[in-house]
Every structure is written in structure tokens, then in C-alpha cells.
Amino acid sequence: MSQPVLQRQTLKAGERVFREGDPAEAAYIIETGSIEISKSVEDDSVVIGVIPAGEMFGEMALIDDQTRSGTARAVETTVIVIIPRPTFQQRLDSADPVIRQLLNLLIRRLRNQTEHTVRKS
């Protein structure tokens, strides 16, 4: 089976990829630039990390089938590669069941830790 051609998107500084609470339709790889992930805390927004070129983001919600846990926004002009849910899911489904279980466990722990850390700030 041939691999699907993945689309690229160029974002301007400040442009949002997704918002906290949105359903997950894709994961993304940063080709150039960087993405800031922030989380709403009461009436404020707290930056929980900046993801550099070469890394992936948006994968957590696809793995554990939850809504977006934060908002992703371009810090500067950024090019992302879009991995649609079906393509991502196909890869995940072909992984060893133990590895899938481990990913779910790690994501659950990461979500819990992020919530705990953000609430303390």
C-alpha cells in the first residue's frame, strides 16, 4: 500500500493551529519554526511549552481520543506537516498492543502532571 502524500501548511506568527477543547483531527510535525502550547487557567493563558522544528505535536489527543488539552499557536513563521487522523490511526493500529498500552499510560500521566503543574502556577 502506498503512503499518502502529507500536506504542508505555512503559519504566520501568532496563527493558531488548534484551540484547547477542540476535537483532534490531525497530528503535526514542525518542519521549520516553532509552536507554543498554552493552557487556559481561570481567565488567563499559561504557556506550558514551546516545541521546536523537527518535533511532533497534537498526537496526544489522537492516541487517547480526547479533546485538545491546550492551544497550539505559531511563535514565528512556521511550516507544519499535517498527519490526518486516519493516517495516524493506521500507524498506531499496526503497533504492538503493549506499545499502544504504554503510550496511553504515558499520555494519561502527562495530562495529569500538566494539569497539576498548571493549577499550581
Side-chain angles (χ1 to χ4, degrees):
M1 183 194 303
S2 66
Q3 294 296 321
V5 175
L6 299 177
Q7 294 183 334
R8 285 174 170 67
Q9 181 179 359
T10 300
L11 306 165
K12 296 176 184 167
E15 192 171 347
R16 189 176 55 237
V17 181
F18 54 77
R19 180 179 289 151
E20 184 176 347
D22 283 351
E25 299 302 326
Y28 309 89
I29 297 172
I30 304 169
E31 204 167 75
T32 62
S34 57
I35 296 287
E36 172 187 279
I37 306 295
S38 61
K39 191 150 184 58
S40 298
V41 179
E42 296 171 8
D43 292 334
D44 203 6
S45 180
V46 176
V47 175
I48 58 175
V50 176
I51 304 168
E55 293 198 18
M56 180 182 282
F57 68 100
E59 77 291 343
M60 287 174 43
L62 291 179
I63 293 171
D64 67 1
D65 203 29
Q66 299 292 317
T67 58
R68 298 295 188 186
S69 60
T71 297
R73 187 179 317 274
V75 174
E76 58 198 300
T77 299
T78 300
V79 177
I80 56 175
V81 176
I82 302 167
I83 306 168
R85 177 185 279 280
T87 302
F88 190 91
Q89 195 63 51
Q90 180 182 27
R91 295 288 181 99
L92 192 58
D93 289 346
S94 67
D96 181 295
V98 173
I99 300 301
R100 288 196 313 264
Q101 190 67 23
L102 177 62
L103 286 171
N104 279 310
L105 173 66
L106 292 172
I107 287 171
R108 188 169 52 250
R109 288 180 181 170
L110 180 58
R111 283 184 186 272
N112 289 339
Q113 182 61 42
T114 301
E115 286 293 327
H116 179 73
T117 301
V118 169
R119 286 194 179 124
K120 287 175 85 174
S121 39

